[in-house]
Amino acid sequence: MLTPPLALFDACISVSELNRLARYALESALPPVWVTGEISNLTLAGSGHAYFSLKDGGAQIRAVMFRGRMAGLPFRLREGMQVEALGQVSLYEARGDYQINVDMLREAGLGQRHAALAQLKARLLAEGLFDAARKRPVPRFPRAIGVVTSPQGAALRDVVTTLRRRFPAADVVLYPTPVQGDTAPAQIAAAIRTASQRAEVDTLLVCRGGGSIEDLWAFNDETVARALAACPIPTISGVGHETDFTIADFVADLRAPTPTAAAELVAQPRDAWLGALDRAAERLQDAVQGQPIFEENDREHF
């Protein structure tokens, strides 16, 4: 630890000088450290800074997270949230407050969850569940399309709207399930198995709208991954936003960046395939003259 010069004990110093020395001692003696605790006394200032305390059952420490760091935070702070904070222990000289200046925040336990996720990905990869060779093509003209998602979510509305606009001839079958929370993985997997057993759809969409990484965590579960791998129906994963990736994306036969994009992948635009049919019908007369029935641009629709 930092040892003050002996001369300081013989001199009378100001409060400002004392606090400056204490701050220097704290910052020199302690490197940036991860601290876990509960957020309390939270104040989100108009300046963009966040002021709060981190506490456990026996103690607390004041904390501040400045605007620049707050801007990159992927979730909203709330009173009572359990977090892990990386920061520099310091002292606010003007008030003599011992505090931690927070550089990074994550929800408690997320570090361990990410480590477990990396191990699961490595294991499933070694088993071949991500292999391109096992991926099946999605039917171009499905008679029925299954959707595994929450009946209350915006994802379902987006998917149904897109399917009705692009391919109204196909039936849509919902396999309802929660898509967030501790019980969600088991229920998502059960919905996928139900679709497999009923065998009433040609393609299965597994969808959820955007959210934080914690909101999407159910789709990183091994139970969901194995249900997708075992599903005899071609599957499309449309979970979160374009930048979100989950285990379900790697196991499904096709990955879409959003639920709406998943619906677009499974449903050819009506105008495109109707137009192709019309042009093909007009060219049937050319067949007897040795002309090709389809133009090259139309082949992709059949």
Side-chain angles (χ1 to χ4, degrees):
M1 295 182 63
L2 181 70
T3 302
L6 292 177
L8 287 177
F9 295 107
D10 300 323
C12 184
I13 63 174
S14 68
V15 173
S16 297
E17 290 172 326
L18 176 61
N19 283 358
R20 188 173 301 114
L21 181 64
R23 176 186 176 186
Y24 177 75
L26 283 170
E27 293 180 356
S28 300
L30 293 174
V33 61
W34 281 101
V35 180
T36 183
E38 176 186 328
I39 290 179
S40 65
N41 304 313
L42 174 63
T43 299
L44 299 173
S47 61
H49 308 323
Y51 302 95
F52 52 95
S53 296
L54 287 175
K55 69 176 185 179
D56 58 21
Q60 66 177 6
I61 182 174
R62 290 181 181 272
V64 59
M65 192 169 191
F66 295 114
R67 178 176 57 194
R69 302 295 187 182
M70 285 289 293
L73 201 62
F75 54 87
R76 183 175 179 81
L77 296 183
R78 62 181 184 275
E79 194 79 16
M81 175 183 282
Q82 292 286 337
V83 296
E84 295 170 352
L86 173 64
Q88 176 65 60
V89 176
S90 185
L91 184 136
Y92 181 50
E93 294 180 25
R95 287 200 301 263
D97 287 339
Y98 160 69
Q99 65 181 35
I100 181 169
N101 298 333
V102 178
D103 292 323
M104 291 178 58
L105 269 180
R106 65 191 184 197
E107 293 200 51
L110 193 57
Q112 291 87 341
R113 293 174 75 181
H114 277 290
L117 176 61
Q119 293 175 0
L120 175 61
K121 287 177 67 175
R123 182 152 45 85
L124 297 181
L125 176 64
E127 291 182 28
L129 267 67
F130 301 166
D131 290 355
R134 60 167 294 276
K135 307 288 185 178
R136 296 158 297 183
V138 174
R140 286 188 175 274
F141 302 105
R143 294 169 299 174
I145 300 167
V147 184
V148 173
T149 194
S150 168
Q152 288 81 36
L156 178 61
R157 295 193 296 272
D158 293 342
V159 166
V160 171
T161 299
T162 301
L163 293 178
R164 290 292 177 240
R165 172 172 50 83
R166 291 170 66 94
F167 196 49
D171 294 329
V172 179
V173 180
L174 173 65
Y175 301 95
T177 176
V179 291
Q180 183 175 339
D182 293 340
T183 63
Q187 295 184 71
I188 294 169
I192 294 170
R193 288 193 293 268
T194 296
S196 302
Q197 293 163 2
R198 292 183 183 175
E200 58 192 347
V201 298
D202 303 308
T203 306
L204 188 65
L205 278 59
V206 180
C207 299
R208 190 211 188 281
S212 68
I213 188 169
E214 292 79 17
D215 294 336
L216 307 180
W217 206 263
F219 296 91
N220 284 322
D221 191 270
E222 183 174 0
T223 305
V224 174
R226 296 201 179 279
L228 279 168
C231 182
I233 305 165
T235 55
I236 301 177
S237 173
V239 178
H241 297 303
E242 293 185 10
T243 57
D244 297 319
F245 283 87
T246 66
I247 292 286
D249 294 323
F250 296 108
V251 178
D253 293 305
L254 195 59
R255 184 254 175 183
T258 64
T260 298
E264 291 173 345
L265 287 173
V266 77
Q268 294 288 325
R270 179 174 59 177
D271 291 345
W273 55 262
L274 284 179
L277 283 173
D278 290 340
R279 289 189 296 273
E282 292 173 358
R283 295 189 194 95
L284 282 175
Q285 298 178 51
D286 297 335
V288 295
Q289 300 174 2
Q291 300 296 321
I293 296 178
F294 303 115
E295 290 185 356
E296 193 63 32
N297 290 339
D298 294 332
R299 293 182 185 276
E300 64 182 25
H301 301 291
F302 297 94

